[in-house]
Amino acid sequence: MFEDHEIMSTIEMVKNENLDVRAVTLGVNLFDCVSHDLSVFKKNIRKKILSHAKNLVETCDQVGEKYGIQVVNKRISISPIALVGASFNSDQMVEIAHELNDIAKTVNIDFIGGFSALVEKGMAKGDLALIEAIPRALTETQRVCASVNVATTKAGINMDAVAKMASAIKQAAQLTAEDDGLACAKLCVFSNIPQDMPFMAGAYLGVSQADAVINVGVSGPGVVKRAIERNLADQRLTLGKIAEIIKRTACKVTRVGELIGREVAENLGIKFGVVDLSLAPTPTVGDSIGEIFQALGLSHIGVPGSTAALAMLNDAVKKGGAFASSHVGGLSGAFIPVSEDLNIANAARKGYLTIEKLEAMTCVCSVGLDMVPVPGDITEQTLGGIIADEMAIGMINAKTTATRIIPVPGKKAGDKVFFGGLLGEAKIMDVPHLDLEDEFVSFGGRIPAPIHSLKN
């Protein structure tokens, strides 16, 4: 039984602390749509997705209105196109991306993810065709998102794929130079990618998932920040007590997300999947991950103590969410995207947060180098090195890491870049030694999987 003050604090979260459901993502399995005929394949995937998604937006809005909690983004994830479209070449892959974009417009959803490949151990014909198609596919469409998993803890790092992704990122940036390389904001390179996360750009429906499933991503950095500030206003607390406050707050936020997700799934006649506990920020004041660090007594995210604070925050969010829901999945932790979080972007602009410190913090956060704008003249070798470093963190630590990095054509460190909407804006980060032509990545092959019996 909830006590009165707990009910009142939840109402306060909704009214004044930016609590919302960040994403309801409908996953659709496309393996029964496979055909060697492109026109038949496109017809099959359109029919399958529309059959499940035609009422998605309307249902999310109705459920959100019923509880007074906004569902900010409605999205679709699909089976990896490199698998279900393995027989097609790169030009045909681009045609598939156009079809997906048109389907997304038809059902009025924000993004459709799953223009994806899983290549940690090697690249098949369909994988190569999809990676080759990524720059054009993301340039010529608005709502299609792509992701490629190049590493896992059990398989190691596919360095041939890392090199190809570095090249694809540079090409995508050049093709969208007039929009500051915007296509790269829809592209993630992963290590240990989860199969059920609702957040873009990495969402896709894994091969072990149901035919159709609803996954939910909550939000709540503003809620966590206010909970810390409220309690610190009355008393001086130890960090252990503050972690307990974050844990209890995360529990309430998760309950809200699961309530919305289960009702949307029931109304659509679809299975409920998981709640992703990730604290997802926005570029607005009062809903920032960076502001939580300031509530914890740090002047800016990035100063000494930031990695420890992030580790505590991430762990407390997972513990609180796990108590609230039996079906937790996805990334589940704290995002630290640069341009999408106003406070993090400001810390980077003022020099408190460097790309090296950001990389160190990704050892304890949920994702990795996320929405990081870098100078457009960065070489493919340096870009590949940054991706490989981030993949190594995920591989060794048995966690998900990702790189969503944007080399902005024609711009240098300190220049401003504006992506708009939830993608936000930021100053381009300085990358030391960005013009190197080191051979490390070009050796190719696969970095072997680590041994864990000798872990230290």
Side-chain angles (χ1 to χ4, degrees):
M1 178 69 72
F2 289 106
E3 296 183 10
D4 290 349
H5 71 90
E6 290 181 295
I7 296 171
M8 291 304 295
S9 70
T10 304
I11 293 172
E12 184 71 10
M13 289 178 186
V14 177
K15 285 179 63 180
N16 300 320
E17 297 172 2
N18 301 311
L19 177 63
D20 52 38
V21 171
R22 181 54 47 86
V24 169
T25 301
L26 166 65
V28 182
N29 187 316
L30 299 183
F31 278 92
D32 56 352
C33 300
V34 171
S35 171
H36 287 280
D37 186 318
L38 180 60
S39 62
V40 173
F41 178 70
K42 290 196 297 183
K43 182 180 176 184
N44 288 346
I45 63 174
R46 172 174 284 273
K47 182 179 178 183
K48 179 77 181 282
I49 295 172
L50 292 184
S51 69
H52 291 294
K54 60 185 177 187
N55 297 320
L56 175 63
V57 172
E58 181 185 7
T59 303
C60 288
D61 289 342
Q62 287 173 350
V63 174
E65 189 175 338
K66 175 181 175 182
Y67 293 102
I69 298 170
Q70 184 186 12
V71 178
V72 180
N73 299 297
K74 300 88 175 176
R75 297 162 169 177
I76 295 173
S77 62
I78 55 175
S79 307
I81 289 298
L83 296 181
V84 296
S87 60
F88 302 119
N89 61 36
S90 63
D91 288 338
Q92 292 169 318
M93 289 286 187
V94 174
E95 280 194 54
I96 294 169
H98 281 281
E99 185 71 22
L100 293 172
N101 195 59
D102 192 63
I103 294 170
K105 289 179 179 176
T106 302
V107 296
N108 195 29
I109 51 108
D110 311 288
F111 288 113
I112 184 165
F115 199 76
S116 305
L118 311 171
V119 297
E120 59 271 14
K121 217 163 185 178
M123 292 178 281
K125 178 188 166 190
D127 302 319
L128 289 166
L130 182 125
I131 292 173
E132 189 180 334
I134 282 176
R136 274 187 59 203
L138 298 186
T139 300
E140 297 173 14
T141 65
Q142 299 79 46
R143 307 189 190 199
V144 174
C145 292
S147 58
V148 177
N149 192 70
V150 301
T152 66
T153 298
K154 289 191 173 180
I157 305 174
N158 183 341
M159 293 299 292
D160 295 322
V162 168
K164 284 191 173 296
M165 290 312 300
S167 176
I169 290 170
K170 286 281 285 185
Q171 290 176 46
Q174 286 298 330
L175 289 173
T176 49
E178 291 184 356
D179 296 317
D180 289 334
L182 182 62
C184 299
K186 299 185 288 175
L187 173 59
C188 279
V189 185
F190 272 95
S191 172
N192 293 319
I193 188 172
Q195 300 189 24
D196 54 8
M197 67 175 152
F199 294 110
M200 297 296 172
Y204 79 104
L205 189 71
V207 294
S208 61
Q209 305 293 300
D211 196 49
V213 64
I214 290 287
N215 294 322
V216 175
V218 296
S219 180
V223 175
V224 171
K225 175 201 162 201
R226 284 295 301 136
I228 295 170
E229 289 176 339
R230 259 197 311 273
N231 284 276
L232 286 176
D234 300 330
Q235 56 196 316
R236 182 164 180 82
L237 301 171
T238 64
L239 289 172
K241 294 271 180 66
I242 293 174
E244 181 69 17
I245 291 165
I246 297 171
K247 190 172 74 175
R248 288 173 177 271
T249 305
C251 179
K252 294 174 190 171
V253 170
T254 306
R255 291 268 191 200
V256 171
E258 178 149 343
L259 172 70
I260 299 291
R262 284 193 178 279
E263 190 148 336
V264 169
E266 184 178 345
N267 291 354
L268 290 173
I270 292 173
K271 284 180 177 290
F272 176 72
V274 299
V275 182
D276 187 317
L277 310 175
S278 297
L279 292 180
T282 67
T284 58
V285 176
D287 203 21
S288 160
I289 298 288
E291 290 175 5
I292 296 176
F293 286 74
Q294 293 178 327
L296 290 170
L298 296 169
S299 60
H300 294 83
I301 184 172
V303 301
S306 298
T307 307
L310 181 58
M312 183 186 78
L313 173 65
N314 221 24
D315 181 67
V317 166
K318 289 178 192 290
K319 286 173 177 170
F323 182 75
S325 174
S326 297
H327 298 286
V328 173
L331 298 166
S332 290
F335 291 175
I336 48 171
V338 175
S339 73
E340 290 181 347
D341 185 300
L342 183 64
N343 194 280
I344 295 177
N346 283 337
R349 178 175 58 81
K350 294 175 181 176
Y352 292 104
L353 185 63
T354 63
I355 196 164
E356 295 92 340
K357 181 63 175 177
L358 200 59
E359 182 184 307
M361 293 175 70
T362 65
C363 296
V364 299
C365 83
S366 285
V367 194
L369 295 173
D370 195 16
M371 289 301 291
V372 180
V374 296
D377 58 352
I378 188 171
T379 63
E380 287 186 17
Q381 287 83 355
T382 300
L383 199 55
I386 292 173
I387 296 171
D389 286 345
E390 196 59 39
M391 299 302 104
I393 290 171
M395 175 185 72
I396 293 292
N397 294 294
K399 69 185 289 295
T400 301
T401 53
T403 303
R404 186 161 53 149
I405 194 165
I406 305 158
V408 183
K411 293 194 175 180
K412 298 186 177 301
D415 290 346
K416 193 171 183 179
V417 61
F418 179 78
F419 299 117
L422 282 176
L423 299 177
E425 62 183 70
K427 287 286 181 69
I428 293 173
M429 295 188 79
D430 185 30
V431 178
H433 322 302
L434 82 170
D435 56 348
L436 294 179
E437 301 281 351
D438 290 339
E439 292 186 8
F440 175 70
V441 174
S442 62
F443 277 116
R446 185 153 54 96
I447 293 179
I451 183 168
H452 283 287
S453 62
L454 300 177
K455 203 166 187 176
N456 54 27

